Amino acid sequence: MQFRPQIEVVLFCIRIHLYCTMSNPHILIVTLPVQGHINPTLQLAKLLIRAGAHVTFFPSASAGSRMSKSPNLDGLEFATFSDGYDHGLKQGDDVEHFVSQLERLGSQALIELIMAGANEGRPFACLLYGIQFPWVAEVAQSLHSPCLTAVIFPPF
């Protein structure tokens, strides 16, 4: 795996933070809805589970529907949100509108997911997100949730 060194660095930083704060942490991963980001973040999720975390993977519905062979692991659950393009971005679609919808609808869904986790007694210890989603950090800050940018470099 070409992306393993970057994942190992992120995993190391998360382990230090999480072991200092709690056992069996619940981590939320928000990823860009494209294959080159989904696969590396799923690998990161597997590593976090091996480290003792419970992970919720939070892609858009269009990405979730393309993940027909998602891993079935103890400690991994999936939650999806509608970005307004549930059947994917089609050629000729307005990319700026897509990005705007992704942020608007994703932010609202993220708020609801974080609040639901807290209300169910399963708060997220940390939110991991790609640098393409600065709105995730804004939502996390507004809800006083710790977050960390996971810089994922898709393999070439």
Side-chain angles (χ1 to χ4, degrees), residues 111 136-145:
I111 290 167
V136 173
E138 294 169 10
V139 168
Q141 287 175 343
S142 74
L143 298 173
H144 307 289
S145 296

Side-chain angles (χ1 to χ4, degrees), residues 94-114:
D94 183 350
V95 176
E96 287 182 27
H97 184 259
F98 168 73
V99 171
S100 172
Q101 289 290 91
L102 186 65
E103 179 176 349
R104 184 178 69 79
L105 297 172
S107 293
Q108 185 58 44
L110 183 58
I111 290 167
E112 291 170 8
L113 185 62
I114 293 170

Side-chain angles (χ1 to χ4, degrees), residues 62-77:
S62 63
S65 68
R66 290 190 315 265
M67 296 171 57
S68 61
K69 295 183 180 179
S70 312
N72 187 9
L73 300 170
D74 286 341
L76 177 64
E77 67 182 83

Side-chain angles (χ1 to χ4, degrees), residues 40-66:
T41 51
L42 277 173
Q43 295 304 315
L44 175 60
K46 289 177 187 178
L47 290 170
L48 291 167
I49 290 166
R50 282 189 218 127
H54 179 88
V55 176
T56 298
F57 199 77
F58 193 52
S60 68
S62 63
S65 68
R66 290 190 315 265

